[in-house]
Amino acid sequence: ERAHAGQTRKSGDPYIQHPLAVAFVLADLGMDPDTIAAGLLHDVVEDSDTSLDMLQQEFGPSVASLVDGVTKLEQIEQEQMGRFSQEGERPRGEQESESLRKMFFAMAEDIRVVIIKLADRLHNMRTLDALAPERRKTIAHETLEIFAPLANRLGVWQWKWELEDLSLRHLEPATYAEIASLIKERRPEREAGIQRHVQVLKQRLTEEDIEAEITGRPKHIYSIYNKMGRKGVPFQRVHDVRGVRVITQTVPDCYRVLGIVHGLWKPIPGEFDDYIATPKENLYQSLHTAVVGDDGNTLEVQIRTWEMHRTAEYGIAAHWRYKEGGKRDEAFEAKIAWLRSLLEWRKEVTDASEFVDAMKTDIFRDRVYTFTPKGKLIDLPVDAHLPEDYVGEQ
């Protein structure tokens, strides 16, 4: 507070409100004390006469190192800002590509630096209204292209969805308002319908002696917007506008619940995904299915264990939220190993623009997984296709 004395945000609020909010966001995620402390201190080196040495003496080398990492990312971000046009097209300057390359390497050195940066961006997005319209669009474009995908790849879904929704609100305010209005308009009817289905499912699971928690699933405006555009369908035909989530004790229970759901209601062809057998790259696991409910409307059902739910909600941050004395966190180690191996491999690329293009393909693009008739798993980027003269296992 002393370091930021006299400083204000664009909204007129005392600047200390921002680092406080960032620290609360990190605390809500369950991060460790050093990360929360660094969240509070993340702007003091850049915005005051407080030195890194002073931070190290007062708070220790770990906190100082994290603040130093975030400060470097802040400088990278400032190099980038202004390169996003209103249409979202970015000139491929060597300086900008080099800046993004540095951000990727920061991910492997200490992932907590990137988590603090994401928390910082999330609060900035929540308070974006204080900025001029063009500046808001610039930041929203950058958030949608870089920070939301980063949150996704780190598996922090609650941040990913909010960053996407906030970006859409500033990039396409009319579309955002229309979808939000449609969701609100039908909320009472939709929630009553969901509760009816929840009660039916609860009764069946009790009869089958399956212990599970069943809840309505949050609706994300950007996800609905994306599906409307990608599938070319109206709001009424987006399946996950009405959704429930079932959290069970074991993996076998997940599949038993799936069978019960499909026995109660007719499954919709092409709307089933098994992310338990084939987890996403960010370690996300769940069964997804869409069915035609009793009322003739579609209902999306997600089924997962509590362990999967923890990873789905907190992603890589679950390592700090739930770590127990000395116990190995294999999911965390796998994620870090994946990031580091990816970066080691890409270090051989000397051209910064080529490096960034490759990393964005590896880290930000969704993947498609499919099985051959003989059970071999094929991992492909979205929009991949086989050459006409392809010869192989059919």
Side-chain angles (χ1 to χ4, degrees):
E1 192 169 15
R2 283 198 304 274
H4 292 300
Q7 297 176 8
T8 57
R9 304 194 80 212
K10 293 289 185 182
S11 60
D13 293 333
Y15 195 85
I16 187 63
Q17 294 300 326
H18 171 63
L20 274 172
V22 170
F24 274 118
V25 167
L26 292 166
D28 285 342
L29 198 65
M31 293 305 297
D32 60 299
D34 282 356
T35 305
I36 297 169
L40 274 165
L41 297 163
H42 76 273
D43 278 333
V44 297
V45 172
E46 188 172 20
D47 295 348
S48 76
D49 56 5
T50 306
S51 70
L52 208 57
D53 286 342
M54 291 165 67
L55 283 188
Q56 183 158 331
Q57 289 171 22
E58 187 75 22
F59 302 103
S62 176
V63 171
S65 174
L66 290 170
V67 172
D68 185 38
V70 176
T71 302
K72 286 172 181 171
L73 284 189
E74 293 282 356
Q75 291 162 355
I76 290 169
E77 185 183 3
Q78 286 167 13
E79 290 172 15
Q80 290 182 150
M81 289 307 288
R83 295 187 173 96
F84 288 74
S85 68
Q86 186 173 336
E87 294 74 28
E89 296 172 357
R90 299 182 299 107
R92 257 314 154 83
E94 184 67 19
Q95 184 183 14
E96 182 222 2
S97 295
E98 190 59 42
S99 297
L100 276 171
R101 188 211 292 255
K102 290 173 188 172
M103 185 177 287
F104 288 128
F105 285 131
M107 289 169 64
E109 285 179 19
D110 192 332
I111 208 76
R112 292 177 297 173
V113 170
V114 179
I115 290 173
I116 296 167
K117 186 60 207 160
L118 282 169
D120 173 48
R121 174 53 61 110
L122 181 58
H123 183 249
N124 282 335
M125 289 299 295
R126 288 173 178 174
T127 55
L128 209 55
D129 287 327
L131 303 183
E134 284 309 306
R135 177 73 169 163
R136 292 204 302 264
K137 284 192 173 185
T138 297
I139 293 172
H141 271 301
E142 187 190 51
T143 299
L144 205 53
E145 184 162 326
I146 295 173
F147 290 94
L150 269 178
N152 178 40
R153 281 299 176 254
L154 297 181
V156 189
W157 286 89
Q158 49 182 306
W159 289 6
K160 170 194 184 287
W161 293 123
E162 189 175 354
L163 287 168
E164 287 176 341
D165 280 6
L166 289 169
S167 296
L168 182 64
R169 186 162 75 86
H170 292 286
L171 291 171
E172 297 191 37
T175 304
Y176 178 93
E178 181 186 359
I179 296 173
S181 173
L182 286 167
I183 290 173
K184 185 177 179 182
E185 179 186 314
R186 299 174 186 176
R187 182 170 290 143
E189 173 194 344
R190 185 178 66 248
E191 290 184 351
I194 288 173
Q195 282 311 308
R196 284 198 308 273
H197 290 84
V198 165
Q199 290 308 315
V200 169
L201 187 53
K202 271 184 178 174
Q203 186 176 337
R204 279 300 306 273
L205 295 186
T206 302
E207 290 169 5
E208 297 290 334
D209 199 26
I210 297 175
E211 188 180 336
E213 179 178 297
I214 310 174
T215 58
R217 199 169 56 77
K219 312 304 178 294
H220 303 288
I221 292 174
Y222 184 79
S223 172
I224 294 169
Y225 161 83
N226 234 1
K227 288 190 177 179
M228 288 169 65
R230 192 172 69 243
K231 297 186 176 181
V233 297
F235 175 83
Q236 293 78 2
R237 289 185 55 200
V238 176
H239 295 147
D240 65 352
V241 172
R242 300 192 331 153
V244 297
R245 178 176 291 143
V246 184
I247 306 177
T248 70
Q249 300 298 322
T250 68
V251 171
D253 280 348
C254 289
Y255 289 98
R256 288 176 66 199
V257 171
L258 178 69
I260 289 167
V261 168
H262 285 176
L264 286 169
W265 304 294
K266 183 181 178 182
I268 298 170
E271 293 294 334
F272 170 65
D273 291 296
D274 186 343
Y275 296 119
I276 293 179
T278 309
K280 292 190 176 185
E281 281 182 337
N282 59 15
L283 309 179
Y284 175 86
Q285 289 184 287
S286 193
L287 298 176
H288 290 195
T289 189
V291 296
V292 179
D294 296 336
D295 52 7
N297 293 317
T298 56
L299 179 75
E300 189 189 69
V301 184
Q302 291 182 350
I303 308 163
R304 61 179 68 147
T305 65
W306 282 105
E307 182 71 18
M308 293 170 193
H309 183 64
R310 170 165 71 90
T311 301
E313 290 296 296
Y314 302 108
I316 214 161
H319 166 76
W320 289 279
R321 188 179 183 94
Y322 290 94
K323 69 177 179 180
E324 300 160 9
K327 185 179 177 183
R328 285 185 65 207
D329 188 333
E330 292 181 6
F332 174 79
E333 290 174 10
K335 189 65 181 174
I336 293 297
W338 171 74
L339 280 171
R340 287 189 172 142
S341 65
L342 209 55
L343 289 163
E344 282 299 321
W345 175 43
R346 291 300 178 195
K347 275 181 182 175
E348 298 170 13
V349 180
T350 55
D351 179 76
S353 296
E354 185 184 340
F355 173 91
V356 169
D357 282 335
M359 285 301 294
K360 287 179 69 176
T361 299
D362 289 328
I363 291 183
F364 292 173
R365 286 286 300 277
D366 286 332
R367 310 292 293 179
V368 173
Y369 300 94
T370 186
F371 290 92
T372 70
K374 293 183 181 177
K376 181 181 176 183
L377 177 65
I378 307 293
D379 171 8
L380 301 164
V382 167
D383 297 330
H385 64 278
L386 290 171
E388 290 181 9
D389 59 351
Y390 173 78
V391 177
E393 183 183 1
Q394 299 302 306

